[in-house]
Amino acid sequence: MAFKNFKSVRNIAIFALALFAAVLLPDWVVDFFRGAFAEFRAPLEAIPSQLNDLRKFWSLKSNTKLELIEAGRDLARLNSAYELKVMENSSLKLQVERLEELLSLPSQERYKMEIARVASRDINAWWQQVTLRKGSLHGIKEGYAVIYGGGVLGRVCEVGLYTCKVELVSSRDFRIACHIKGDDRPIIYQGLGGVSLRSFGGEIRDVPADVEETSGAVIVTSSLAGSFPDGILIGEISSLKLDSDEIFKSGTVRLNPELSAVKEAAVLIPVGDIGK
Amino acid sequence: MFRRFDVCIWLFLVLNALYWVAVSALNTCAQGYFYLVVPALFIVPAALYMNYVSMSIVVVFSAMASFSNADVNPFLIAAVWLMAAWLVNVCRFRLRTGDYMTTVSVSLLVNMFLILCYAVILPCGVYTAGEYVKRILVDAATSGLFILAVGNFCAKLPVCIMDYFGIDITMNEEI
């Protein structure tokens, strides 16, 4: 009987301990445990993506010699075209540097791109995040901008040693200053969150009242946003309506549906932060 | 304290890690069409076959690891998982038949309870309450179907593995 009582008390004590830890532990202790467990699970998180890379490797390895020769020939053609572009690019770069030196202008090169593969996606009612397979060891820090082929992907919100979490542009927590392409007046963009079945969207506010709703009008990042360079595509305006104050308009933005299928992204590391 | 299931702690932790990797891979492939929320897979097998202390270690460790990257106190999630596990652990002797219906029903109930808790605890990431409810219902339904498919397998897997090594684990009352 006494043993049974001891067991009951012990079981309740374990549960109470967890509850106590949840409510009363200071933030730094919670952050310590969160960080420790996050580093512990980081290699596990990257396993599916690495297995996918391995699968691709083996499927490519099973190609016949003839297919490889054909692919090599196509690549050689592409390479020669790119070589010309590289030469053109380097001569233009030299020209820009010379002009900057002559006119004593600050350097245009503000960001270095760190290409990273997507390890996992968490797109649900609570979060809109992707995990990239690069972290603080590669110079990535919180708040850095992340872009992909279709424009803005999001912003780095959490960094581990080998991985980092990116808050997607469609997330409710993503808010940024931007402008309509061809109109430099700043407006505010915010994601709408995890709306149903892969339809990504956002909302814009503080749009000047004289801006008309035109098909194909797009919003791009503004240099006011800080971590983002100017002119990177966010999405297409789908509707605009006048606010009750009749000074500004607000509306919705349609984002690229490929946002959730991104396999690779580039983290923009400010040149000034490299080596810090 | 760990007289009977010491080795099982490692087994259940490894299995939970494997389930987590598999579910994460499926969610990545789903690309936002749906999202599998299946905490029952990590909780129910441990709650059915382990004593309370060993089960607590497995459940708390799994909860902390699963929610270490989320914008929520992982200890709170651990407490909620522990509560669900405790409920199953207390009445496991009544579930000792271990047939498909029993195991899957328990898993479904635990999963629904935890999704309901998440809906209240976790920060709403959708701009209207209607959309939030709709999204959670879609994810809960998909997760339910997933549990119907794999719930029984996940509950039986540790028994089969331990049976291979000649160790018998059953749904007994705590001695």
Side-chain angles (χ1 to χ4, degrees):
Chain A
M1 185 69 186
F3 184 68
K4 278 235 165 192
N5 280 344
F6 162 75
K7 266 194 335 186
S8 308
V9 171
R10 182 200 62 189
N11 293 354
I12 291 167
I14 290 173
F15 178 68
L17 193 72
L19 212 59
F20 165 82
V23 179
L24 294 176
L25 276 185
D27 282 349
W28 67 269
V29 179
V30 175
D31 286 344
F32 170 77
F33 277 101
R34 182 184 281 156
F37 275 95
E39 291 304 338
F40 167 78
R41 81 171 208 176
L44 289 176
E45 203 161 20
I47 286 175
S49 152
Q50 276 160 347
L51 284 177
N52 201 25
D53 289 351
L54 194 68
R55 184 187 58 80
K56 265 187 201 153
F57 170 77
W58 283 108
S59 67
L60 285 174
K61 212 175 175 198
S62 64
N63 284 343
T64 62
K65 275 185 186 168
L66 201 65
E67 283 169 330
L68 289 175
I69 290 166
E70 276 174 13
R73 191 192 56 206
D74 293 345
L75 278 176
R77 282 178 192 156
L78 267 176
N79 273 345
S80 54
Y82 284 139
E83 269 168 26
L84 280 174
K85 289 273 178 203
V86 167
M87 278 161 61
E88 200 179 0
N89 194 16
S90 54
S91 78
L92 283 172
K93 232 177 189 174
L94 281 173
Q95 203 175 340
V96 169
E97 276 171 20
R98 211 165 42 242
L99 286 171
E100 278 173 357
E101 212 175 279
L102 276 174
L103 300 168
S104 309
L105 290 172
S107 175
Q108 280 285 314
E109 200 179 355
R110 289 174 56 204
Y111 298 98
K112 177 200 152 212
M113 282 190 190
E114 187 69 55
I115 308 293
R117 279 187 164 272
V118 171
S120 69
R121 305 185 188 96
D122 287 313
I123 300 169
N124 53 38
W126 306 293
W127 302 286
Q128 303 255 298
Q129 294 174 335
V130 293
T131 306
L132 300 181
R133 265 168 42 187
K134 281 193 178 164
S136 58
L137 281 183
H138 305 89
I140 296 170
K141 287 180 187 161
E142 257 178 58
Y144 283 179
V146 186
I147 58 173
Y148 74 113
V152 174
L153 181 71
R155 191 186 282 132
V156 176
C157 63
E158 218 170 286
V159 188
L161 272 178
Y162 305 99
T163 57
C164 66
K165 281 248 175 222
V166 177
E167 192 83 62
L168 288 182
V169 66
S170 58
S171 167
R172 200 75 191 124
D173 295 332
F174 188 93
R175 201 159 169 248
I176 191 177
C178 57
H179 63 84
I180 296 168
K181 198 173 183 182
D183 184 342
D184 282 344
R185 287 174 292 182
I187 56 178
I188 302 289
Y189 165 86
Q190 188 174 9
L192 283 180
V195 284
S196 50
L197 300 178
R198 214 188 166 201
S199 59
F200 295 105
E203 57 182 359
I204 42 174
R205 289 194 299 273
D206 298 347
V207 182
D210 59 328
V211 172
E212 292 302 321
E213 188 182 330
T214 49
S215 66
V218 292
I219 57 165
V220 292
T221 54
S222 158
S223 52
L224 292 172
S227 51
F228 283 92
D230 191 71
I232 296 178
L233 179 71
I234 295 176
E236 193 180 313
I237 297 174
S238 54
S239 70
L240 264 182
K241 66 174 194 301
L242 201 61
D243 288 343
S244 53
D245 59 11
E246 297 192 347
I247 302 170
F248 293 112
K249 282 180 173 177
S250 55
T252 52
V253 176
R254 197 181 309 115
L255 300 175
N256 191 341
E258 290 308 308
L259 195 67
S260 65
V262 176
K263 291 193 172 80
E264 233 171 30
V267 183
L268 299 181
I269 301 177
V271 169
D273 282 4
I274 295 170
K276 273 187 187 172
Chain B
M1 199 178 256
F2 307 116
R3 274 168 307 185
R4 297 187 65 202
F5 292 119
D6 208 9
V7 70
C8 288
I9 293 175
W10 295 108
L11 172 74
F12 279 87
L13 283 174
V14 169
L15 284 179
N16 279 358
L18 290 176
Y19 298 153
W20 185 81
V21 168
V23 170
S24 173
L26 282 173
N27 282 333
T28 301
C29 294
Q31 298 182 355
Y33 279 106
F34 61 83
Y35 189 83
L36 295 175
V37 189
V38 282
L41 293 189
F42 310 114
I43 296 170
V44 173
L48 285 178
Y49 296 109
M50 300 179 98
N51 65 41
Y52 187 83
V53 178
S54 307
M55 176 207 74
S56 303
I57 292 167
V58 172
V59 168
V60 169
F61 197 88
S62 305
M64 296 284 290
S66 299
F67 281 82
S68 58
N69 269 4
D71 192 18
V72 63
N73 188 334
F75 287 103
L76 185 64
I77 300 296
V80 174
W81 279 35
L82 201 56
M83 188 166 70
W86 185 34
L87 291 175
V88 178
N89 191 258
V90 163
C91 59
R92 65 182 169 145
F93 189 62
R94 292 192 180 88
L95 310 167
R96 66 185 180 281
T97 51
D99 58 314
Y100 175 84
M101 277 304 288
T102 315
T103 319
V104 167
S105 308
V106 171
S107 300
L108 278 174
L109 280 174
V110 168
N111 212 55
M112 289 300 148
F113 168 71
L114 287 169
I115 289 177
L116 205 67
C117 291
Y118 289 176
V120 179
I121 296 169
L122 300 181
C124 169
V126 188
Y127 73 114
T128 62
E131 280 289 344
Y132 185 57
V133 172
K134 201 166 102 183
R135 176 78 214 212
I136 285 179
L137 284 178
V138 168
D139 291 346
T142 330
S143 308
L145 286 174
F146 185 72
I147 284 181
L148 278 178
V150 303
N152 192 44
F153 168 78
C154 292
K156 295 280 157 58
L157 188 61
V159 183
C160 297
I161 293 172
M162 293 313 279
D163 193 41
Y164 181 78
F165 291 108
I167 300 170
D168 187 29
I169 54 172
T170 48
M171 295 181 214
N172 285 331
E173 275 182 307
E174 210 165 319
I175 301 162

